[in-house]
Amino acid sequence: MLILGIGAQAGCTVDMSKVDINLGNYYEEPVKKLPVRKFDVVVAGGGTAGVVAATAAARQGAKTALIEVKGYPGGTATEGGTALHSFYNLWKAFPGVKKCQVVRGIAQEIIDRLMKVGGTSGHAEMSKGYNYDSVCTAIDTEMYKLVTFEMLVESGVFVCVNTLLAGAIMDGSRIRGVIAESRSGREAFYAKCFVDCTAYGDLAAYAGADYTEPNDYPVVNSIGVANVSIDKYYEFLKSHDAITQQAEGIRSGKDGQIVRLDGRRVNLPSGFSEGAGKIGMSIVTTSVHDNYFMFIKINFKMPVSPTNRDEVAKAELELRRRQAKAIELFREYVPGCEKAFIARTSPKLCIRRGRLITCDYDIALSDVLEARHFDDDVMVYGFHDSAPRFQVKNGGTYGIPYRALRVAGIENLLAAGMMITSDHDAHMSTRNTVSCMGQGQATGTAAALCAAKNCGTRELRYSELRKALVNGDVYFES
Ligand SMILES: Cc1cc2nc3c(=O)[nH]c(=O)nc-3n(C[C@H](O)[C@H](O)[C@H](O)COP(=O)(O)OP(=O)(O)OC[C@H]3O[C@@H](n4cnc5c(N)ncnc54)[C@H](O)[C@@H]3O)c2cc1C
């Protein structure tokens, strides 16, 4: 149109019949010279795990770049679920077991920073439903984005937001660099060691790593719902004898307020419960503000893996239709929500699993349930999302070993977050936010040490990694 317009003004026309769109089914891209940027460590994906990985790598002294496609860090922690599970062991479900904060380090620093800006409930103890989790750590998702962005910058990370990781430059089984695309152009980022925190395992896939696509979860677009009353929601659930989970913590600056509620849907009025069932809506919510439900989850099970663009497009539309119906349900049935509206949606649907990347070790359900530890543990963890059906033995912890984070077949690539662990029931533990954050600290620290020592991820001495993690306030007791 522009060409035709200019042509018409200049008194000549362009013959569009010469633009042949039927010329073959493949287009060969011309070779292009890309500018190169050089780093010690590149972290792909600035979400739940990536924020922590990049911060950890930079704090070890590595020149670190973070490549994040959205305009902010935080990832699914700010878009998907209700609370950060879990910094603690499940002590409340096991009488006699001591309360213990099992994930500390950078993950806890984020909470400390959020606390200062009124952006978290704190580690609020569950007063009901503590067979599931003993605490609820709810966050203000927008403050989380700001706080983590600031932490990255303060740590010296070169933060590239609005930048897509679009390829890997391979040298045999070693990654030499990655291709990054933004409105500043297409660039090559060379580094000695890489961490894939893209959730989808994009970097590992580009590097030729083995993977599968289990498609074993629904996709989701959670909504933040404003103009509501969580206290009236509590009364509504209580009046139907439906409350299954409850926690009190800091809300709108005041302690001792309800910050988490979950309910038995079948107890609620049939119009609400059946309507919620039809749109895959969860009853559970958390809040750190008086008039806001931070998350209401709307689920949809796709027929194929969420790496399929065209099926994702259909799911995106379906989820937005379901979100609108969810608001109608709240307005109609829940007192205090008559004028509720959608205040936040995720910019794209959230996944619970995309690609499953093959690593040197695959954490098994028995490792989780038997509270197994390994001689190369890089963190410990005690939460299972299917509790009380599955709980870590005696309210203890299991270890996540370094080998579970090394991408098989690639010399200098680590993986952190939802892309590890093949067994669905084991993944229901390892995929949770606080586990991903701990994995982030482990992989970022390891990548920086590998870069400093010019070694591959398998040559790094565990004793050195462990020492650096302990210095980073990572907790290791079982
Ligand atoms: C609906 C839902 C509810 C959940 N509920 C809870 C809960 O209540 N509590 C809990 O603890 N856990 C919950 N989880 C699980 C948990 O939130 C996720 O498993 C975890 O946050 C995943 O972290 P991650 O770092 O692997 O991925 P993410 O946090 O998603 O980070 C991946 C990042 O990589 C970026 N990225 C992806 N591809 C590229 C690319 N090619 N180039 C550049 N950047 C890229 C993304 O934009 C994103 O920021 C829930 C998950 C979902 C989906």
Side-chain angles (χ1 to χ4, degrees):
M1 290 297 285
L2 187 64
I3 291 168
L4 280 172
I6 293 165
Q9 268 178 8
C12 61
T13 54
V14 175
D15 181 3
M16 291 304 283
S17 69
K18 293 214 171 92
V19 180
D20 188 355
I21 60 165
N22 296 314
L23 207 64
N25 290 327
Y26 291 93
Y27 167 69
E28 203 160 315
E29 276 190 87
V31 175
K32 202 177 161 194
K33 261 193 186 167
L34 305 184
V36 172
R37 289 181 180 272
K38 292 177 186 151
F39 299 93
D40 296 318
V41 172
V42 166
V43 176
T48 317
V51 159
V52 183
T55 304
R59 286 186 185 177
Q60 286 296 316
K63 190 178 174 201
T64 305
L66 175 66
I67 299 175
E68 166 56 47
V69 70
K70 292 180 200 140
Y72 54 86
T76 307
T78 67
E79 292 164 4
T82 48
L84 306 183
H85 296 304
S86 178
F87 285 84
Y88 283 80
N89 64 335
L90 196 60
W91 88 92
K92 282 197 152 199
F94 293 87
V97 169
K98 262 175 60 186
K99 174 181 181 178
C100 180
Q101 181 167 354
V102 301
V103 179
R104 305 176 184 186
I106 296 171
Q108 178 56 38
E109 262 183 65
I110 296 174
I111 301 303
D112 293 341
R113 301 270 295 240
L114 283 171
M115 193 65 106
K116 285 190 187 143
V117 294
T120 176
S121 61
H123 299 308
E125 287 196 18
M126 299 278 281
S127 51
K128 231 182 197 159
Y130 45 74
N131 277 346
Y132 171 67
D133 196 350
S134 293
V135 292
C136 161
T137 311
I139 53 163
D140 178 320
T141 57
E142 303 313 308
M143 296 316 287
Y144 192 97
K145 294 170 190 173
L146 172 63
V147 158
T148 52
F149 211 147
E150 286 179 340
M151 283 175 72
L152 286 162
V153 172
E154 286 164 20
S155 306
V157 177
F158 180 63
V159 184
C160 304
V161 286
N162 301 309
T163 304
L164 175 75
L165 176 104
I169 303 163
M170 299 304 292
D171 190 352
S173 56
R174 193 165 63 87
I175 304 176
R176 171 171 302 195
V178 296
I179 312 254
E181 282 206 19
S182 71
R183 287 187 186 86
S184 293
R186 204 167 145 89
E187 298 165 290
F189 283 38
Y190 286 0
K192 295 177 180 171
C193 200
F194 297 82
V195 188
D196 189 343
C197 297
T198 59
Y200 286 82
D202 283 0
L203 176 52
Y206 284 132
D210 282 342
Y211 65 84
T212 55
E213 299 193 40
N215 189 30
D216 53 346
Y217 292 94
V219 295
V220 190
N221 195 323
S222 300
I223 47 178
V225 183
N227 232 2
V228 294
S229 162
I230 194 159
D231 293 326
K232 287 191 179 162
Y233 189 43
Y234 164 78
E235 293 297 340
F236 170 71
L237 295 177
K238 194 173 164 219
S239 67
H240 291 91
D241 192 23
I243 297 175
T244 54
Q245 285 181 31
Q246 187 179 328
E248 285 83 15
I250 303 167
R251 205 182 74 207
S252 288
K254 200 168 160 206
D255 208 351
Q257 307 300 300
I258 291 170
V259 292
R260 180 182 183 92
L261 284 174
D262 196 3
R264 210 171 285 108
R265 206 163 66 192
V266 290
N267 288 22
L268 300 174
S270 60
F272 185 81
S273 69
E274 283 164 19
K278 278 186 197 147
I279 57 169
M281 183 177 95
S282 303
I283 300 297
V284 61
T285 196
T286 51
S287 187
V288 299
H289 299 296
D290 285 346
N291 54 358
Y292 190 47
F293 297 161
M294 199 66 70
F295 290 104
I296 294 288
K297 284 181 268 186
I298 314 292
N299 293 277
F300 174 67
K301 183 72 182 74
M302 287 179 56
V304 296
S305 167
T307 53
N308 181 311
R309 183 198 60 191
D310 298 340
E311 289 299 328
V312 165
K314 291 180 200 162
E316 296 276 17
L317 176 59
E318 175 60 23
L319 281 166
R320 289 195 181 271
R321 286 185 173 136
R322 291 181 179 208
Q323 289 171 339
K325 286 194 183 134
I327 286 297
E328 282 170 21
L329 288 176
F330 272 99
R331 284 182 186 159
E332 185 174 346
Y333 290 98
V334 184
C337 299
E338 294 81 3
K339 293 183 177 173
F341 65 91
I342 300 176
R344 177 196 55 78
T345 67
S346 302
K348 53 179 281 299
L349 60 73
C350 294
I351 56 163
R352 292 180 170 94
R353 166 121 79 178
R355 295 188 189 90
L356 160 65
I357 305 300
T358 306
C359 291
D360 286 352
Y361 184 75
D362 189 19
I363 295 167
L365 181 61
S366 57
D367 295 336
V368 174
L369 302 185
E370 292 303 314
R372 208 159 279 153
H373 286 267
F374 302 83
D375 57 11
D376 60 344
D377 275 357
V378 286
M379 65 176 287
V380 300
Y381 193 57
F383 174 76
H384 198 294
D385 207 11
S386 303
R389 189 161 73 98
F390 291 125
Q391 291 171 325
V392 180
K393 193 172 165 186
N394 298 332
T397 63
Y398 65 96
I400 294 195
Y402 177 49
R403 67 193 104 149
L405 307 176
R406 290 190 310 242
V407 175
I410 312 285
E411 287 171 45
N412 58 343
L413 179 61
L414 298 166
M418 68 167 80
M419 70 187 85
I420 68 159
T421 317
S422 64
D423 182 318
H424 178 91
D425 290 326
H427 189 248
M428 283 291 281
S429 175
T430 63
R431 76 183 176 91
N432 285 280
T433 48
V434 183
S435 164
C436 295
M437 292 157 95
Q439 293 170 41
Q441 183 154 356
T443 49
T445 306
L449 292 176
C450 290
K453 293 182 183 318
N454 278 312
C455 69
T457 56
R458 286 166 194 81
E459 284 73 63
L460 180 65
R461 279 171 49 188
Y462 173 66
S463 56
E464 291 181 34
L465 176 56
R466 171 97 175 208
K467 193 170 156 214
L469 291 172
V470 169
N471 286 340
D473 199 27
V474 173
Y475 181 77
F476 279 101
E477 302 301 313
S478 52

